[in-house]
């Protein structure tokens, strides 16, 4: 309970710090919302012209995107320091954490939450969900609601685990922004669409290497039951929420091993 209290206090201090510059925070939030909304509008207009993408209509696509935005809203609140971790290593700021009587990863999670990005992505995710959820044929009973909540938590843990993994690589290479750009941000762009539209290589990467398919595609398939699910093992739909736990624990294990190799940059 003590550690949870400290984590919440850290989040509170982060919020208060951000709100010292309220206008800047509001503008930054709106900028994130407008930037991401513009991409959605372009996709929406394209779908109005072409009707469907591999059997997915516009509302189903919006539902797919809603999961992606909602999960990232939590990720950027919980793991913001890990998103920019290589910079912390390069500038020598990580050394300060070594002398504090708390776990290193614990100190990074919930610290310096990027609330503007969180609110921007979260607002868009909720808006897309409200627009699409009742138009895609989902029966919202207890089991589907429970699965949906589990899928959101699993999606957060998958992306958080990836942040932990790429942060751990910084103990070996210091600068890992290029690696994260290739394997996280580019894969995240692919995740906005049904993975069945891609070639087998991209599909394999998104299922077995950078498992974004378990963030939104397979959870959406459980709820929508689209025909292209026939291309994959049906079990993927059911295990999607649990995949997040496995990915995060594996990343945490890699972090524990890698942090022992840390040498200060001397800055």
């Amino acid at each position: 309970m003590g550690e949870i209290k400290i984590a919440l206090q850290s989040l509170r201090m982060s919020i208060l710090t951000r709100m010292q510059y309220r206008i800047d925070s509001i503008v930054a939030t709106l900028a994130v919302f407008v930037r991401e909304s513009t991409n959605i509008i372009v996709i929406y207009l394209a779908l109005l012209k072409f009707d469907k993408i591999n059997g997915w209509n516009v509302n189903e696509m919006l539902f797919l995107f809603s999961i992606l935005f909602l999960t990232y809203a939590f990720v950027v609140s919980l793991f913001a320091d890990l998103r920019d971790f290589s910079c912390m290593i390069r500038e020598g700021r990580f050394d300060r954490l070594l002398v504090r009587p708390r776990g290193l990863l614990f100190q990074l999670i919930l610290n310096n939450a990027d609330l503007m990005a969180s609110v921007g992505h979260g607002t868009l995710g909720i808006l897309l969900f409200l627009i699409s959820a009742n138009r895609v044929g989902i029966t919202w009973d207890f089991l589907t609601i429970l699965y949906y909540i589990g899928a959101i938590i699993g999606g957060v843990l998958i992306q958080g685990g990836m942040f932990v993994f790429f942060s751990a690589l910084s103990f070996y290479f210091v600068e890992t922004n290029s690696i994260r750009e290739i394997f996280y941000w580019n894969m995240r762009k692919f995740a906005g669409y049904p993975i069945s539209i891609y070639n087998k290589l991209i599909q394999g990467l998104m299922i077995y290497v950078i498992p974004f398919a378990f963030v939104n595609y397979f959870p959406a398939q459980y709820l929508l039951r689209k025909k292209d699910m026939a291309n994959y093992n049906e079990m993927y739909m059911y295990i999607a929420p649990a995949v997040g736990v496995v990915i995060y624990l594996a990343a945490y294990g890699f972090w524990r091993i890698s942090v022992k190799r840390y040498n200060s940059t001397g800055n």
Side-chain angles (χ1 to χ4, degrees):
M1 289 299 293
E3 291 195 344
I4 295 176
K5 185 177 180 180
I6 292 172
L8 292 176
Q9 183 66 17
S10 176
L11 177 61
R12 177 176 175 272
M13 293 302 296
S14 180
I15 293 172
L16 291 175
T17 300
R18 298 284 185 179
M19 293 311 294
Q20 291 295 313
Y21 308 96
R22 295 184 183 180
I23 300 299
D24 181 69
S25 297
I26 293 171
V27 171
T29 300
L30 288 173
V32 171
F33 180 83
V34 171
R35 181 191 69 201
E36 300 299 336
S37 297
T38 301
N39 295 330
I40 297 299
I41 291 170
V42 170
I43 293 166
Y44 178 79
L45 294 175
L47 282 169
L48 289 180
K49 182 177 178 64
F50 296 105
D51 189 33
K52 293 183 179 181
I53 294 180
N54 203 27
W56 291 67
N57 65 36
V58 63
N59 287 310
E60 291 162 345
M61 288 289 297
L62 293 180
F63 185 76
L64 195 65
F65 270 102
S66 73
I67 300 175
L68 192 63
F69 285 117
L70 281 172
T71 54
Y72 187 72
F74 288 105
V75 170
V76 81
S77 288
L78 295 169
F79 301 98
D81 262 358
L82 290 169
R83 181 190 61 186
D84 307 316
F85 187 70
S86 62
C87 182
M88 180 180 288
I89 291 288
R90 189 172 60 251
E91 295 175 359
R93 290 183 285 120
F94 183 70
D95 294 8
R96 288 181 289 180
L97 305 184
L98 298 172
V99 298
R100 296 174 182 172
R102 293 287 173 182
L104 296 172
L105 193 56
F106 174 80
Q107 294 182 60
L108 291 165
I109 293 175
L110 270 179
N111 185 50
N112 197 31
D114 190 346
L115 298 174
M116 288 83 73
S118 179
V119 173
H121 283 86
T123 301
L124 182 57
I126 292 171
L127 182 60
L128 293 176
F129 176 83
L130 293 175
I131 292 171
S132 63
N134 290 322
R135 300 178 180 178
V136 292
I138 299 172
T139 301
W140 290 102
D141 55 23
F142 175 76
L143 288 178
T144 54
I145 292 172
L146 185 63
Y147 178 90
Y148 182 81
I149 294 172
I152 294 296
I153 294 172
V156 172
L157 289 175
I158 288 172
Q159 294 175 81
M162 284 191 271
F163 277 11
V164 172
F165 176 80
F166 291 125
S167 296
L169 287 180
S170 297
F171 296 125
Y172 299 90
F173 307 113
V174 180
E175 181 56 69
T176 58
N177 283 333
S178 297
I179 298 174
R180 186 170 60 247
E181 180 71 26
I182 294 171
F183 290 103
Y184 180 84
W185 297 114
N186 286 337
M187 288 294 112
R188 185 174 180 270
K189 293 175 183 176
F190 290 141
Y193 302 88
I195 66 168
S196 57
I197 70 173
Y198 301 118
N199 63 42
K200 294 296 183 181
L201 175 61
I202 298 298
Q203 292 181 40
L205 286 173
M206 296 186 69
I207 295 173
Y208 304 112
V209 181
I210 310 295
F212 264 112
F214 292 96
V215 173
N216 62 341
Y217 179 73
F218 290 127
Q221 283 285 15
Y222 177 88
L223 298 167
L224 302 177
R225 305 295 172 129
K226 301 296 294 178
K227 291 182 179 180
D228 56 333
M229 186 61 207
N231 298 324
Y232 312 104
N233 191 321
E234 187 176 336
M235 186 60 64
Y236 292 163
M237 296 187 298
Y238 300 102
I239 67 172
V243 168
V245 177
V246 174
I247 294 295
Y248 187 82
L249 290 178
Y252 177 69
F254 181 61
W255 167 277
R256 291 288 300 270
I257 294 171
S258 301
V259 74
K260 297 175 183 179
R261 298 178 58 92
Y262 174 66
N263 291 308
S264 175
T265 57
N267 293 329

